[in-house]
Structures are given as C-alpha cells and as structure tokens.
C-alpha cells in the first residue's frame, strides 16, 4: 500500500529531474526501442487497439444518447 506522503514525495522527485537526466532517460529508451526489430509493428498494433477502443466507446455513448 502506498501512503499519500510517499506519493507526494515521488511527484516532487519527478519534478526535480534535470533536463540532462530526462535526456539520458530518453536516450536509453530509444536504444531499447531500436534494439527491438518489431518495435514499429508493436507500436502500430498498440495504436490500433487504442483507436478501436476509443471508437467503440464513442459509438456506445452515441447510442446511449439516442
């Protein structure tokens, strides 16, 4: 269980990251993504699933309004 004080401390830690630290994290993320030969296919699949789910919810809302 996470206490409220712990959550606040984590938010403060994230806000205090420097631009250099963030850039280093982004570079590491890019290296991992480039090492995965299926990265673009997996990314496209995630985007399609998210789009399909959003369209499904939109249709449900529109049907409920009628």
């Amino acid at each position: 269980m996470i206490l409220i004080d712990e959550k606040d401390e984590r938010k403060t830690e994230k806000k205090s990251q420097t631009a250099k630290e963030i850039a280093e994290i982004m570079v590491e993320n890019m290296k991992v993504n480039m090492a995965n030969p299926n990265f673009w296919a997996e990314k496209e699949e995630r985007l399609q699933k998210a789009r399909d789910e959003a369209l499904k919810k939109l249709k449900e809302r529109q049907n409920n309004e009628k």
Side-chain angles (χ1 to χ4, degrees), residues 29-41:
N29 189 31
M30 289 172 60
K31 286 180 183 178
V32 171
N33 291 341
M34 290 171 49
N36 180 358
N38 297 324
F39 171 73
W40 292 111

Side-chain angles (χ1 to χ4, degrees), residues 4-56:
I4 294 173
D5 292 338
E6 291 175 5
K7 281 185 179 180
D8 291 341
E9 288 175 16
R10 286 190 211 162
K11 286 182 183 179
T12 305
E13 288 173 9
K14 288 181 184 178
K15 289 180 183 178
S16 66
Q17 286 181 326
T18 64
K20 182 179 178 183
E21 291 172 331
I22 294 170
E24 289 172 355
I25 293 168
M26 290 174 67
V27 168
E28 288 299 317
N29 189 31
M30 289 172 60
K31 286 180 183 178
V32 171
N33 291 341
M34 290 171 49
N36 180 358
N38 297 324
F39 171 73
W40 292 111
E42 291 171 1
K43 181 178 179 182
E44 185 63 29
E45 185 178 337
R46 285 191 307 270
L47 291 172
Q48 286 178 357
K49 285 181 182 179
R51 183 196 66 223
D52 292 344
E53 186 66 27
L55 290 173
K56 180 181 172 184

